[in-house]
Amino acid sequence: MKNRLNKFLFDFSVLSIFRRGSKNIFIFFVFTLLIFLLSSILFISNSIKSELDITINSLPDITVQRLQAGRAINMPLSRVNRLLAIDGVKAVIPRVWGYYYFANAGVNFSVVGIDQFEDQYRDLYTKLCDKFNFDRLKIDSGMLIGSGIDKILKNNFYQGYFNFVKPDGSLIKVKIDGIFNGDTKLESSDIIVMPSKKVREIFGMKPDEAVDFVIKIANPSEIPNIASKITQLYPDSRVITKEDLKISYQNLFDYKGGLFLALFVISAFTFFMIIYDKASGVSSDEKREIGILKAVGWTIDDILKEKFYEAFIISFVSFITALCLSIFYVYFLNAPLLKNIFIGYSSLKPEFDLPFCFDFQTFSIIFFLTVPIYIAATIIPSWRVASMDADEVMR
Amino acid sequence: MIELRNVTKEFKVGANDKVVALKNINLRVKKGEIVLLKGPSGSGKSTILSLIAALNKPTSGEVIVDGKRVSKLADNFTSLFRRENIGFIFQRYNLIPTLSARENVIVPLIPSNPDSDWLEDRLKELFQNFSLESKMDVIVKNLSGGEQQRVAIARALINNPSIIIADEPTANLDKKLSLEFIEILKKLKNGHNSIIIASHDPLFFDLDFIDRQIDIHNGEII
Ligand SMILES: Nc1ncnc2c1ncn2[C@@H]1O[C@H](COP(=O)(O)OP(=O)(O)O)[C@@H](O)[C@H]1O
Ligand SMILES: [Mg+2]
């Protein structure tokens, strides 16, 4: 008998929600909006964070640039052998790449020569590309582009190719061989991959030069040692370790995180305002009703159970509605407005999609920050009223 | 049997003041007896009814119903006691205005999760007895005063209570409806129920089916 769900009590709760319809509709809207904001913020920040983690993991151990008058200039390939001779260095990979400014769209493309460091990136790019084939890339001399670039080129009426302007003003036409799965990678969206030879042509680089070197190290704890040896060997070097990059990436993210937090605080504040309002009193009608229920034989437990159902139904329906809206907004609509407010990337780089990233932890954080708090805020004042003498409450 | 032993009830008014509503009341109502409490307004009639229904606790003295000391019961047990024993027809009816007649009548049964078929039969019987069949699904705030009272009576009876309490039942009714209520009351007297009515309406003063009349003045029985 005891654990059978009391259908009458449940029906009474549902009825009560509708009886106080306008009040509950208001609560439902505000509550749904707040949960929607909160979960959207968490979803976006989770997505970006997971993207950054992937990016950080794929960072090179050491990157070496050459400085002249404080500016990075190209590296002579002749330095490779002496760098390789340093103890602990596993490989030195010259990179050929550059930012190509596409004036029509006002964006920079990262153009990367692939055959020079395919070992390091083969796994990553294999994952990224629709139908990736390095060998074909070498022969065809075409290029692979990120999905963001694909959109930009299509908007500018390029179909299947792009004309790069060389430093001497002449054009070089490059065929598009494939498109990255842009939605899996924040960074890859604006990347163009092509043979190094073409990259050199586009940026006017000499055949015996690279933009920088990526150095692979056998033992990660040796990174600081090797970094200082490189500076001794070539005092005009700027040595950037994985750790440095990690920190700058994380700073970028933490800065965003701060903004996210600000919005989070605002929504939490509004939420607590509502709760405060609810907690500070039960309306006189509701109070009288509690008195009546008690007078006709409801125990405090019965009354609280009823209030619990009411609060649970409202807050849980709000929660589910907000969560669905939020998933749709973030992952299907790609979070218009919110994403742009929080991601500086989009001003510099082409669009990217937020990867779907939803775990039980996020779900429970959102749940526990909202539903139980609302239920408590509803039940506690009712409990205070229900504990008084029925006679007193009905007056 | 209902028994009040040396019952005194004081109400706090403001910080220091108090009102003595009942002074050393001793009263017995036997099973099946129908009793009228009469006396002017403010004499303490409603307070006695509240104490019997355990809606309130005496300042001193005891209220005993069927051997149970209801004045000493913990809050949850007073609710259970009312649910099982008391049918209270309140002066202002105390219906839930936004519920229908039918929903109001069901309210006392909800916590005990009754059998649906049994409930339907019981509702039908009650609504027929009180000529309310056509009003079952009307929201009670749209019912007339007399209809509201009959809904309140139906609600008080749904649990088959052994004690029926009515506080100023004719205060809000015209002469015709008051006489109708008295007819209902007569029918309720079936030997199993104790009925306690508080009223200063002279209509009640010479009804032969009322077993006893008790005069209250300034919180004392005279
Ligand atoms: N909750 C209360 N707080 C303060 N005074 C009360 C309360 N209930 C009743 N009284 C007082 O107790 C006295 C008796 O009231 P009541 O029992 O309602 O009388 P009656 O029902 O005979 O009109 C009155 O003076 C009334 O003002
Ligand atoms: Mg009274």
Side-chain angles (χ1 to χ4, degrees), chain A residues 72-325:
Chain A
I73 57 165
N74 289 343
M75 276 283 201
L77 292 177
S78 56
R79 290 186 178 188
V80 170
N81 284 339
R82 285 186 67 186
L83 289 172
L84 264 177
I86 297 173
D87 282 342
V89 171
K90 214 166 77 181
V92 176
I93 303 145
R95 297 201 301 187
V96 178
W97 63 280
Y99 290 124
Y100 184 89
Y101 183 66
F102 181 40
N104 285 10
V107 290
N108 280 304
F109 301 155
S110 309
V111 182
V112 178
I114 194 77
D115 44 359
Q116 298 277 346
F117 56 104
E118 61 186 77
D119 277 356
Q120 174 155 7
Y121 287 110
R122 182 180 285 254
D123 283 354
L124 187 61
Y125 285 127
T126 307
K127 261 187 260 164
L128 289 179
C129 298
D130 272 331
K131 33 185 197 288
F132 188 75
N133 185 341
F134 276 94
D135 303 330
R136 207 179 125 217
L137 189 63
K138 276 180 203 159
I139 300 158
D140 287 355
S141 307
M143 61 180 173
L144 296 166
I145 61 176
S147 58
I149 292 187
D150 183 47
K151 270 185 212 163
I152 291 173
L153 293 188
K154 281 190 177 132
N155 287 341
N156 286 279
F157 310 109
Y158 283 99
Q159 292 285 357
Y161 73 98
F162 182 69
N163 284 327
F164 289 92
V165 184
K166 293 201 279 190
D168 63 8
S170 63
L171 295 178
I172 167 171
K173 181 174 175 174
V174 184
K175 216 166 100 245
I176 298 169
D177 282 340
I179 297 160
F180 296 153
N181 303 327
D183 57 354
T184 57
K185 192 82 172 70
L186 186 72
E187 285 282 306
S188 71
S189 174
D190 76 330
I191 286 182
I192 294 176
V193 182
M194 65 175 78
S196 299
K197 201 171 144 272
K198 287 252 169 205
V199 179
R200 285 203 166 86
E201 268 186 70
I202 290 166
F203 292 102
M205 288 167 61
K206 290 180 203 134
D208 60 348
E209 280 180 350
V211 170
D212 52 21
F213 293 164
V214 161
I215 297 185
K216 291 178 98 180
I217 310 284
N219 177 356
S221 65
E222 284 295 303
I223 291 177
N225 274 336
I226 292 170
S228 69
K229 278 185 191 159
I230 294 170
T231 347
Q232 276 167 26
L233 194 60
Y234 294 111
D236 65 351
S237 297
R238 176 201 275 160
V239 180
I240 303 155
T241 63
K242 188 173 191 164
E243 211 49 36
D244 298 334
L245 285 174
K246 212 173 179 171
I247 287 165
S248 67
Y249 269 108
Q250 275 164 350
N251 281 343
L252 187 69
F253 179 70
D254 281 346
Y255 156 73
K256 310 292 179 210
L259 284 177
F260 278 114
L261 199 68
L263 215 112
F264 174 77
V265 166
I266 292 166
S267 49
F269 178 72
T270 323
F271 182 35
F272 280 102
M273 286 297 289
I274 291 187
I275 286 180
Y276 173 80
D277 191 49
K278 280 226 78 172
S280 54
V282 181
S283 78
S284 62
D285 280 351
E286 274 177 85
K287 198 170 156 178
R288 198 175 139 75
E289 194 172 306
I290 290 173
I292 294 171
L293 294 178
K294 219 179 155 184
V296 300
W298 288 39
T299 63
I300 297 174
D301 296 356
D302 297 327
I303 293 166
L304 295 189
K305 219 186 270 174
E306 193 274 325
K307 294 290 171 194
F308 174 85
Y309 285 155
E310 262 187 68
F312 183 80
I313 293 167
I314 293 176
S315 54
F316 196 71
V317 172
S318 271
F319 174 76
I320 294 295
T321 311
L323 215 60
C324 293
L325 283 175

Side-chain angles (χ1 to χ4, degrees), chain A residues 391-392 395, chain B residues 11-13 19-22 39-48 56 91 167-168 198 200:
Chain A
D391 227 14
E392 207 67 39
R395 289 194 131 238
Chain B
F11 288 105
K12 275 218 181 74
V13 189
V19 177
V20 183
L22 297 175
S41 178
S43 56
K45 305 182 295 294
S46 297
T47 306
I48 293 180
N56 217 322
Q91 178 167 5
D167 194 1
E168 309 280 4
H200 54 242

Side-chain angles (χ1 to χ4, degrees), chain A residues 4-6 8-9 12 15 19 288-289 292-302 389-391 394, chain B residues 50 55-56 75-76 79 82-83 90 92 94-96 98-99 103 107-108 110-111 113-114 116 119 155:
Chain A
R4 187 157 59 106
L5 175 82
N6 188 336
F8 290 98
L9 192 60
F12 186 86
L15 195 61
R19 281 194 293 136
R288 198 175 139 75
E289 194 172 306
I292 294 171
L293 294 178
K294 219 179 155 184
V296 300
W298 288 39
T299 63
I300 297 174
D301 296 356
D302 297 327
D389 278 330
D391 227 14
M394 277 188 301
Chain B
S50 284
L55 289 166
N56 217 322
D75 193 279
N76 269 343
S79 292
R82 278 191 294 277
R83 192 190 300 175
F90 298 93
R92 284 181 297 156
N94 282 346
L95 296 171
I96 296 175
T98 48
L99 286 180
E103 287 149 1
V107 165
I110 288 175
N113 198 10
S116 298
L119 181 65
R155 181 181 69 183

Side-chain angles (χ1 to χ4, degrees), chain B residues 8 13 17 20 28 30 41 50 57 66 73 77 81 90 104 107 109 112 122 140 152 174 182 186 196 198 204 214:
Chain B
T8 296
V13 189
D17 255 354
V20 183
R28 284 170 162 228
K30 288 197 284 283
S41 178
S50 284
K57 290 204 161 42
D66 293 335
L73 288 178
F77 291 100
F81 162 73
F90 298 93
N104 261 289
V107 165
L109 286 177
S112 40
R122 180 87 183 118
V140 293
D174 60 24
I182 285 165
K186 215 181 203 166
I196 305 168
F204 287 99
I214 297 165

Side-chain angles (χ1 to χ4, degrees), chain B residues 120-135:
Chain B
E120 282 314 311
D121 292 346
R122 180 87 183 118
L123 281 174
K124 216 168 162 191
E125 182 190 334
L126 281 171
F127 276 80
Q128 258 166 18
N129 283 353
F130 296 110
S131 323
L132 282 168
E133 296 111 307
S134 60
K135 309 287 181 183

